[in-house]
Amino acid sequence: MKRIQYIGMLMLAIVTALASPSCTRNNGDIGDWFGSWRLESIDIDGTSDPEYTGPCVIWKFQNAAIEILIPDFDNHTTVGPTATGTWHEEDGYLYTDFTYGLGTPPVITRLPERARLKIIKLSRSNIELEYTSADDNKTYFYKLKKWG
């Protein structure tokens, strides 16, 4: 009888651990942002960015951390440094900050160390963002798709 109780308690512990999002969603659920996103396209002032030909740029969101990287699938590493920073959503905007010395966004993204991106669309499968650069006064439109 004790063995059956022990197995029952063990099963309950396993089910509880598997159902808990805390292991994958550090400090709770951040909604649709959570996970890895592939940058599908960049438009500049309404025209497709000729320099962005699809090198797979990945954006990752977890808790208040954001990571942007270019994977090298052949060698199981990244191309160039990985950018790690913080993010938050406020009043319809995504704010990113990479000023902590942990890399800057890949040049191909055209994002500065700190950015305020207008959220055009946010769903479980798609993100659309718009960023107007103070440096060149151009508007960048980013389409991301859930990845992985």
Side-chain angles (χ1 to χ4, degrees), residues 26-89:
N26 184 19
N27 286 340
D29 188 356
I30 59 170
D32 291 335
W33 292 105
F34 179 77
S36 299
W37 298 83
R38 179 183 170 153
L39 179 59
E40 296 287 311
S41 65
I42 302 173
D43 288 353
I44 305 171
D45 290 332
T47 302
S48 181
D49 182 353
E51 292 183 30
Y52 191 77
T53 58
C56 186
V57 176
I58 304 298
W59 299 31
K60 296 181 177 186
F61 294 88
Q62 182 175 357
N63 193 9
I66 181 173
E67 183 177 60
I68 300 179
L69 57 97
I70 300 174
D72 178 345
F73 295 110
D74 294 333
N75 297 307
H76 304 287
T77 134
T78 61
V79 176
T82 296
T84 304
T86 60
W87 73 278
H88 72 276
E89 177 185 359

Side-chain angles (χ1 to χ4, degrees), residues 56-134:
C56 186
V57 176
I58 304 298
W59 299 31
K60 296 181 177 186
F61 294 88
Q62 182 175 357
N63 193 9
I66 181 173
E67 183 177 60
I68 300 179
L69 57 97
I70 300 174
D72 178 345
F73 295 110
D74 294 333
N75 297 307
H76 304 287
T77 134
T78 61
V79 176
T82 296
T84 304
T86 60
W87 73 278
H88 72 276
E89 177 185 359
E90 184 178 323
D91 297 328
Y93 288 88
L94 168 67
Y95 293 86
T96 61
D97 187 346
F98 294 93
T99 60
Y100 301 102
L102 299 172
T104 56
V107 173
I108 193 71
T109 66
R110 302 174 185 265
L111 288 172
E113 286 184 317
R114 283 189 177 154
R116 181 181 98 149
L117 298 101
K118 183 176 182 181
I119 302 165
I120 305 300
K121 180 179 182 177
L122 173 62
S123 71
R124 291 178 166 238
S125 58
N126 295 289
I127 297 175
E128 295 178 5
L129 304 167
E130 184 180 271
Y131 166 69
T132 302
S133 172

